[in-house]
Amino acid sequence: LDVGANKGQYAHDLRRRGWNGQIVSFEPTSDAYDLLVAACARDLKWTPARRAAIGSERGRAQINIAENLVSSSLLEINERSIQIEPGVRFKNKEEIDVIPLDDIINPEWLGPYAIKVDTQGFEIEVLKGAKNTLRNTKVIQLEASLYPVYKETPDIGEIFHLMRGLNFRAISIVEGFSDTAVNEMLQVDLTFVAN
């Protein structure tokens, strides 16, 4: 389950690394979603889910669209992030649906699941809406902040606390977004497995 798929970069990487199983991708922004659907059309085992953000409860929201599309977020971005990487600047907003993962899971998407969550600071909200799905999940990969790239982003300590409570343990930390001018990691990618 590829939550925050953007144009499908993560799924393409999975295929390059040899994964030939089913992939279901979730993306809320219309421009990226159109590109995702086109990419999925060439792969019979890759499904674009309904266009929506994945969150803790159903509703509507305004998502901030970044110039680079990849950094679009339901949260506001910190000025330091723009200074480091100008492409993360927001250019407009788009109204979208927000749906819990538990409400959108299709019984045809057979588990157990591996879930990747890259939702630009919204990761905890995704997990809060996935309690039933997580019972059938073996691996979770998600982004965590050492510095709040987006305003009101949960920090890495909150992520670890939540994952321990869900009975998952960390097995990998990989550098993500960094401020190379001062040699500071701002985000990391974490991989957890079920205990």
Side-chain angles (χ1 to χ4, degrees):
L1 305 178
D2 176 16
V3 181
N6 197 249
K7 300 174 282 188
Q9 300 94 313
Y10 185 84
H12 283 302
D13 189 51
L14 284 179
R15 291 295 190 235
R16 278 193 299 273
R17 292 169 182 258
W19 171 252
N20 63 1
Q22 186 175 18
I23 300 171
V24 181
S25 291
F26 304 83
E27 171 56 37
T29 65
S30 57
D31 287 348
Y33 186 79
D34 290 344
L35 295 168
L36 174 67
V37 169
C40 291
R42 299 186 293 272
D43 187 330
L44 296 177
K45 292 184 180 179
W46 184 10
T47 305
R50 171 185 164 190
R51 185 171 71 85
I54 304 301
S56 59
E57 54 188 46
R58 283 183 175 267
R60 298 279 288 167
Q62 293 275 325
I63 192 167
N64 299 295
I65 308 298
E67 290 177 6
N68 67 8
L69 283 185
V70 175
S71 302
S72 301
S73 178
L74 287 161
L75 304 178
E76 295 295 327
I77 198 156
N78 274 320
E79 188 62 33
R80 180 183 180 192
S81 305
I82 298 169
Q83 292 170 356
I84 296 166
E85 176 50 60
V88 304
R89 185 185 319 274
F90 296 148
K91 60 181 182 177
N92 56 35
K93 293 179 181 281
E94 182 176 1
E95 189 163 328
I96 56 166
D97 290 326
V98 180
I99 303 173
L101 190 57
D102 284 346
D103 290 358
I104 201 170
I105 287 288
N106 184 324
E108 294 177 6
W109 304 338
L110 300 175
Y113 302 117
I115 303 176
K116 167 270 204 172
V117 184
D118 186 359
T119 52
Q120 310 307 321
F122 211 63
E123 285 77 10
I124 284 182
E125 294 302 308
V126 171
L127 296 174
K128 284 181 181 176
K131 290 179 181 155
N132 294 329
T133 306
L134 293 176
R135 291 189 190 108
N136 194 22
T137 298
K138 300 295 184 191
V139 179
I140 300 175
Q141 184 180 44
L142 49 86
E143 196 171 63
S145 291
L146 304 176
Y147 170 87
V149 172
Y150 298 89
K151 296 176 183 175
E152 301 177 31
T153 302
D155 71 16
I156 193 168
E158 293 174 76
I159 295 285
F160 273 104
H161 179 74
L162 175 65
M163 296 307 290
R164 276 194 301 272
L166 293 170
N167 207 27
F168 283 81
R169 63 184 176 87
I171 62 165
S172 172
I173 301 176
V174 177
E175 182 179 352
F177 184 49
S178 293
D179 184 345
T180 55
V182 294
N183 198 28
E184 180 183 350
M185 276 189 287
L186 306 181
Q187 291 178 322
V188 294
D189 292 322
L190 304 173
T191 302
F192 294 86
V193 295
N195 280 323

